[in-house]
Amino acid sequence: MLQPSRTPTLRRHCCTTTMTFITVADVLLTLLLLLSGAADASQWPEPQLGYSGPLTMEQRCQAFSVANVEDKEFYSPLYTSKYPNNTDCTLHLEAEFGFIIRVDFRDYFEMEPSEDCENDFLEIRDGAHGYSDLMGRYCGGDFPPIITSKNRYLWLRFRSDETLEYKGFRAVYEYIVQEMGRPEIPPCHFETGGVTGLLSHTDIPQYRFNYSTTYRMPIDCTWTIRVNAGHKIYLFFEEFELAQPNECDVNFVDLFGEHRDLRSRIEHFCGSMGDSVITTTNTMHVRFYAVGQARQSKFKAWFTAFRDRIVEGVPEEQHVCYDTEYDCDDASCIDASLECNGVKNCRHEYDEEGCSDSDKMKFDIRSQHIIIILTMGCGLLGGMCFAMCFNCIRKLISDGRQIHENIRRSREQLEGGRPRSMVSIPSTASVPPRPPPMQPEDYISGHKPEGRTCVRVSSEESDEDDDIEDDLDELDEETSVEMRDCECQTRDSLTTQRDSSGQLTPPPPPPPTRRPPGVPPTMSHEQVPTPPPPPTHYARNHHALYEVQSDDDDSYKFRAHTIIHVPEKTSRTPSKAGKTTPDVLVTH
């Protein structure tokens, strides 16, 4: 009896029915197809025959994933019928070294059209894996161009969504001789497994680096990790140092799950550090890619097989780790042999706590984080030391300049003449001799701001005045204070200078045409009245001015007035302009 699943047309009806519901019409339709030659039996992939019941993904993809090696053809799933929904298939084409692959689509190409081929599509990549360079993604009713690979591999993927079914396609491929210009080298692939293991750039043999440098080929190596069923994989990087970080086109590390294509990619690291990763299956693929100067990149990663302690559908009393396992206190169990082995196999590093005192204090000085911290600390310390030294040197230079400037000024004062006295109270030895007493005709009356008369004192004063002066001299000797004579002078008297012996030289007489001070314009020189003797007398001392007043009770009152210091070298230029009223100045 003819099996209903021998033709693709009848197989779709048989997916939901049994053998007893096959009708004669189905048999007749099968005979017509065979006799018409519309679909040659040689074109049907042999694995399509003999299936009954619902088809698995492997059965649906067999026409695509298992190519017709004799005719060098491959077809859309369930060819020559419409391809099924929710189908995802892959195909690997591989030629011998020295050949490339060319693919041409024949007869028809019908797939669901969509923008950017998001629904149903055929994807072709130039390489052996799903992460190889993309050559194109095709859909709709237009034939794709002839596809030619750059090397000996092609990777193809067919995908359909849950709606709309189309006729599909038929493709023919062939191998073409291509001069490679370099010797053949096997793929860079490593297989590993177990409860724990190490992946490192040192696993790559040196001849591959030499081959890559000589023929300018990239380093493209893959590690496949497989652990026991029911376990997952935890991977963390102990060292991650790319030669050109953030240059994702020249160096990176990719982590994949069960399949090595972009849909299964877990992480893509191309920066300055790599994070820890956990898979959902018992298989992981690690890819390292570097080209050019980036071949100097380095990495080192540890993987650990662990089991989830809590599993859905398992009774709660069974949510425990076995006797041969170590509980990481994060709902995961690892092999008991991994405790205190010097590797952080638990995600929270509990397996290395309390192992030994030396382990607690141990840290890797070559670690990237330790190097960064030490570099920053040394930089800050060096900057602080430099700033302190710079400020100290600048202060020393400034103080040295100030000292030299003070010495220079002192020398100039010593070389220029007698230096100024820096003592506020000079000794009595430096006081110049007193000037001779003034004559009566030299008395010039004046008034102080407080209304008291200031006159020059002559040697012919009364004995009473002499007694007052003697008392003041005794007071001066007791206090040892150096004072200068208080003199009431006019502006003209300022021109009086001392001779070499210290005696005062009287000012030159006024010109004949000059009117004496205080004489009205209508009065002649002979009519100038003699000023009366002042009622108030001033006692002269060397450095202070005292006012002496006489009262009715014959008592004396003393009052000190302002002391004005005038440098000895101060030159006084006589005023050329006369004044009608003399200016009273206090000098020393």
Side-chain angles (χ1 to χ4, degrees), residues 248-267:
C248 298
D249 294 336
V250 297
N251 54 180
F252 58 83
V253 175
D254 280 345
L255 304 182
F256 299 91
E258 189 174 0
H259 302 283
R260 287 182 288 179
D261 53 24
L262 295 181
R263 57 180 173 168
S264 301
R265 186 168 69 180
I266 302 174
E267 290 292 346

Side-chain angles (χ1 to χ4, degrees), residues 67-69 71-74 91-105 124-129 132 135 145-156 171-180:
N68 187 344
V69 180
D71 298 334
K72 291 186 175 56
E73 294 180 353
F74 61 91
L91 170 63
H92 301 268
L93 295 179
E94 179 180 356
E96 295 181 359
F97 183 78
F99 290 84
I100 59 175
I101 305 172
R102 177 176 294 175
V103 178
D104 187 14
F105 293 87
I124 303 177
R125 292 184 176 271
D126 189 8
H129 308 288
S132 302
M135 302 184 69
I146 297 177
I147 305 299
T148 303
S149 66
K150 296 180 181 179
N151 50 46
R152 52 186 292 197
Y153 302 101
L154 271 182
W155 185 88
L156 301 93
V172 178
Y173 65 92
E174 59 179 334
Y175 303 136
I176 300 175
V177 178
Q178 178 71 30
E179 181 62 32
M180 296 298 179

Side-chain angles (χ1 to χ4, degrees), residues 6 21 35 48 81 86 114 177 230 254 258 274 281 306 350 369 377 403 438 449 456 486 489 501 507 523 525 540 564:
R6 285 191 174 275
F21 293 97
L35 295 175
Q48 282 188 342
S81 300
N86 296 324
S114 61
V177 178
D254 280 345
E258 189 174 0
T281 63
F306 71 94
Y350 294 147
H369 299 84
I403 292 173
M438 302 298 292
R456 296 182 180 274
C486 175
Q489 297 178 343
S501 62
M523 298 178 62
H525 183 66
R540 292 182 296 174
I564 302 176

